[in-house]
């Protein structure tokens, strides 16, 4: 089979491409960086170097594929984050239509059921709705939970302040996922026949409170008393901006944290039944986190 994958050599896409190539499939990997072409070839894929904001480029990259995998890359320099996410979804839809693609696996997120109030995830709601309007295609939206690897952003705070802090309290349940579990789910969705024109798949590895997460990570790095601290929204916003995030991006993260605090982000997930946990538990990721933490010079 022939697949076209977006996401360049990112955390998920690289694993996904490697898995598909090992299974004997022909894989084209889209990247905007010409310097990554050699690495893409080294893992057995065909590089398609270009800008995903260009419909004609995307259409060409999609044209020979039996199925495509779409994801919206993060762009911190955009003045309207949600508009950028929405626009990318519209471009994907146009290219899919023009290329005549019949099978699409789209990387969305837990919380994408909600049209508002979930920060950047509400932009992925827009993408889902746009792709849902495509006719005569089989479409699967993958909705992974919060990535374990997001904890890497807390390394400096732990080293310098001895805590993890966000704008929700320690007793807040957080649904989380291991990156390889997402890649495995994407590979399975791409390579497995389905009779459903539209489907949604949640991908979850563990559910812990924020405080439990801090304790697990703290134990792994030799700080067993590592606390989780809740910041007021305005104070956490100031921290994010002081650490270099543009104001609109910081505001989106505040909204996302609020959706976690209130449970809004996870409400549709909890209404489902029989969703299995896949991938490693938090304790296994904590060993990876510890290695990064001890190697960091921040």
């Amino acid at each position: 089979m022939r697949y076209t994958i977006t996401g360049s050599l990112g955390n998920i896409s690289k694993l996904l491409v490697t898995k598909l190539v090992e299974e004997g499939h022909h894989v084209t990997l889209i990247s905007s960086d010409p310097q990554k072409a050699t690495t893409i070839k080294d893992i057995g894929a065909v590089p398609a170097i270009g800008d995903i904001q260009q419909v004609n480029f995307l259409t060409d990259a999609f044209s020979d594929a039996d199925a495509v995998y779409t994801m919206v890359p993060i762009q911190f320099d955009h003045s309207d984050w949600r508009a950028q996410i929405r626009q990318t979804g519209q471009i994907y839809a146009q290219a899919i239509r023009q290329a005549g693609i019949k099978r699409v696996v789209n990387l969305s997120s837990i919380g994408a059921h909600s049209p508002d109030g979930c920060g950047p995830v509400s932009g992925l709601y827009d993408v889902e709705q746009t792709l849902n309007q495509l006719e005569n295609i089989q479409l699967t939206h993958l909705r992974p939970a919060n990535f374990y690897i997001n904890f890497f952003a807390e390394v400096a705070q732990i080293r310098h302040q001895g805590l993890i802090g966000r704008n929700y309290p320690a007793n807040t349940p957080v649904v989380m996922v291991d990156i390889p579990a997402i890649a495995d789910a994407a590979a399975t969705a791409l390579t497995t026949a389905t009779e459903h024109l539209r489907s949604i798949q949640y991908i979850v590895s563990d559910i812990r409170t924020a405080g439990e997460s801090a304790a697990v990570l703290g134990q792994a790095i030799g700080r067993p008393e590592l606390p989780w601290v809740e910041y007021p929204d305005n104070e956490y916003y100031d921290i994010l901006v002081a650490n270099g995030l543009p104001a609109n991006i910081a505001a989106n993260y505040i909204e996302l944290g609020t959706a976690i605090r209130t449970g809004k982000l996870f409400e549709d997930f909890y209404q489902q039944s029989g969703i299995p946990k896949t991938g490693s538990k938090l304790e296994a990721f904590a060993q990876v986190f510890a290695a990064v933490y001890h190697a960091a010079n921040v």
Side-chain angles (χ1 to χ4, degrees):
M1 299 289 283
R2 302 174 69 88
Y3 300 103
T4 298
I5 309 300
T6 61
S8 188
L9 293 169
N11 293 305
I12 299 169
S13 293
K14 185 177 181 180
L15 290 176
L16 171 58
V17 169
T18 300
K19 186 176 181 65
L20 292 172
V21 168
E22 289 175 349
E23 293 177 356
H25 300 290
H26 180 282
V27 182
T28 297
L29 178 57
I30 294 175
S31 176
S32 62
D33 186 354
Q35 296 184 6
K36 293 182 178 178
T38 298
T39 303
I40 291 171
K41 292 177 183 177
D42 288 343
I43 63 175
V46 176
I49 305 301
D51 183 357
I52 64 169
Q53 301 300 318
Q54 300 298 318
V55 174
N56 289 339
F57 163 72
L58 268 186
T59 300
D60 288 342
F62 289 170
S63 60
D64 291 332
D66 296 300
V68 300
Y69 166 84
T70 57
M71 61 84 63
V72 178
I74 294 175
Q75 294 184 6
F76 288 114
D77 58 349
H78 202 282
S79 59
D80 187 333
W81 203 3
R82 181 167 183 174
Q84 175 261 319
I85 295 170
R86 183 190 308 116
Q87 180 183 27
T88 302
Q90 292 168 346
I91 293 169
Y92 277 147
Q94 187 175 348
I96 289 165
R97 188 181 297 111
Q98 292 178 178
I101 298 300
K102 300 302 182 185
R103 177 71 174 124
V104 177
V105 175
N106 173 56
L107 180 66
S108 186
S109 171
I110 198 167
H113 67 283
S114 178
D116 52 51
C118 292
V121 174
S122 292
L124 295 177
Y125 166 89
D126 297 337
V127 175
E128 286 194 13
Q129 298 307 306
T130 296
L131 295 180
N132 285 344
Q133 295 173 20
L134 292 168
E135 297 179 350
N136 301 317
I137 71 165
Q138 293 178 323
L139 172 62
T140 298
H141 296 298
L142 302 179
R143 289 184 181 175
N146 291 33
F147 297 176
Y148 287 153
I149 61 172
N150 291 342
F151 283 119
F152 289 145
E154 316 299 338
V155 167
Q157 185 180 53
I158 295 172
R159 291 177 70 89
H160 298 298
Q161 297 179 259
L163 57 87
I164 299 180
R166 296 185 190 173
N167 64 324
Y168 47 90
N171 64 354
T172 305
V174 181
V175 187
M176 298 176 287
V177 69
D178 196 18
I179 289 294
I182 306 172
D184 288 345
T188 299
L190 284 166
T191 58
T192 303
T194 177
E195 297 179 354
H196 303 289
L197 288 180
R198 300 288 181 269
S199 60
I200 292 171
Q201 181 180 348
Y202 283 99
I203 313 168
V204 175
S205 299
D206 210 345
I207 303 175
R208 300 292 183 89
T209 67
E212 289 171 342
S213 297
V216 170
L217 298 177
Q219 185 67 38
I221 64 175
R223 293 191 176 202
E225 303 303 320
L226 181 68
W228 181 282
V229 175
E230 178 188 11
Y231 291 110
D233 288 346
N234 61 336
E235 186 175 341
Y236 191 51
Y237 172 86
D238 291 341
I239 291 171
L240 294 175
V241 172
N243 279 277
L245 281 184
N248 76 93
I249 302 296
N252 269 272
Y253 277 125
I254 294 301
E255 186 173 278
L256 180 61
T258 301
I260 294 174
R261 183 174 70 228
T262 62
K264 181 181 181 70
L265 193 73
F266 309 126
E267 60 188 3
D268 184 74
F269 164 75
Y270 281 125
Q271 290 175 7
Q272 313 304 314
S273 60
I275 298 175
K277 293 186 176 71
T278 60
S280 300
K281 296 298 184 184
L282 182 61
E283 282 79 2
F285 168 76
Q287 300 308 309
V288 178
F289 180 86
V292 171
Y293 174 84
H294 290 300
N297 184 22
V298 292

